[in-house]
């Protein structure tokens, strides 16, 4: 793990992917959930409802991990940010959440009160993850290093469902 953002991480984080957010439950188990994220000024932001398990977990245990895993044919790579969390509320949270929603929804969806209006009302807080450590992987490099590029052979890897 490294304490600075890995090379190429910002390129991944500025793109639109689904991430997995891991928080710690009261019993020590891990709660994983798929989330939309916004990367800004070195922090990761997740819009959510104050009623969610992830919101309660980070309020009680202010730490989390966020993984972005790109699983497309070819450039299978990803990264994980581990760090401390803070719950944001009020105007600042609404502004960050609106930016996050704009990353993932069209203008038509945002203008539709059934969608944009509901999302804005439902996501009343923001979880801010401040990374303290990172790790990244690139399956192309791993293939070249360990398998001599054999995994690029057509038909070796079955398509994901």
């Amino acid at each position: 793990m490294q304490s600075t953002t890995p090379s190429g991480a910002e390129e991944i984080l500025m793109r639109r992917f689904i991430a997995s957010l891991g928080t710690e439950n009261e019993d020590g188990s891990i709660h994983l959930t798929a989330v939309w994220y916004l990367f800004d000024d070195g922090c990761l932001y997740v819009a959510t409802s104050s009623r969610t398990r992830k919101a309660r977990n980070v309020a009680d245990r202010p730490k989390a991990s966020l993984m972005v895993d790109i699983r497309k044919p070819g450039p299978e790579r990803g990264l994980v940010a581990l760090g401390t969390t803070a719950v944001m509320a009020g105007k600042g949270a609404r502004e960050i959440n609106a930016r996050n929603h704009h990353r993932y929804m069209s203008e038509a969806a945002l203008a539709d009160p059934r969608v944009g209006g509901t999302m804005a009302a439902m996501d009343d807080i923001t979880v801010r993850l401040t990374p303290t450590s990172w790790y990244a992987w690139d399956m192309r490099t791993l293939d070249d290093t360990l398998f001599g590029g054999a995994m690029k052979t057509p038909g070796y890897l079955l398509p994901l469902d």
Side-chain angles (χ1 to χ4, degrees), residues 13-26:
L13 293 169
M14 298 313 283
R15 295 182 57 201
R16 201 172 29 251
F17 296 108
I18 303 299
S20 297
L21 181 71
T23 61
E24 185 180 354
N25 290 318
E26 190 174 279

Side-chain angles (χ1 to χ4, degrees), residues 43-60:
C43 291
L44 292 149
Y45 298 90
V46 174
T48 192
S49 166
S50 55
R51 292 178 233 151
T52 62
R53 165 67 57 199
K54 63 184 163 284
R56 292 191 307 271
N57 282 350
V58 299
D60 293 342

Side-chain angles (χ1 to χ4, degrees), residues 11-17 37 72 77 103-104:
E11 173 194 338
I12 293 170
L13 293 169
M14 298 313 283
R15 295 182 57 201
R16 201 172 29 251
F17 296 108
Y37 66 91
K72 293 183 177 182
R77 58 193 175 129
R103 274 179 44 83
Y104 288 89

Side-chain angles (χ1 to χ4, degrees), residues 13 37-45 84 128-131 134:
L13 293 169
Y37 66 91
L38 172 70
F39 181 67
D40 187 46
D41 199 24
C43 291
L44 292 149
Y45 298 90
T84 59
R128 181 183 67 224
L129 171 65
T130 303
W134 297 84

Side-chain angles (χ1 to χ4, degrees), residues 81-103:
L82 301 94
T84 59
T85 59
V87 175
M88 301 170 57
K91 182 180 177 188
R94 285 190 302 276
E95 289 171 357
I96 291 281
N97 292 351
R99 288 178 55 205
N100 201 340
H101 294 159
H102 274 86
R103 274 179 44 83

Side-chain angles (χ1 to χ4, degrees), residues 80-141:
V80 173
L82 301 94
T84 59
T85 59
V87 175
M88 301 170 57
K91 182 180 177 188
R94 285 190 302 276
E95 289 171 357
I96 291 281
N97 292 351
R99 288 178 55 205
N100 201 340
H101 294 159
H102 274 86
R103 274 179 44 83
Y104 288 89
M105 291 189 287
S106 70
E107 290 299 324
L110 291 164
D112 186 332
R114 298 170 303 168
V115 179
T118 299
M119 290 292 288
M122 183 177 66
D123 287 346
D124 60 334
I125 63 166
T126 306
V127 173
R128 181 183 67 224
L129 171 65
T130 303
T132 55
S133 60
W134 297 84
Y135 62 90
W137 63 91
D138 186 329
M139 295 305 290
R140 298 167 297 189
T141 303

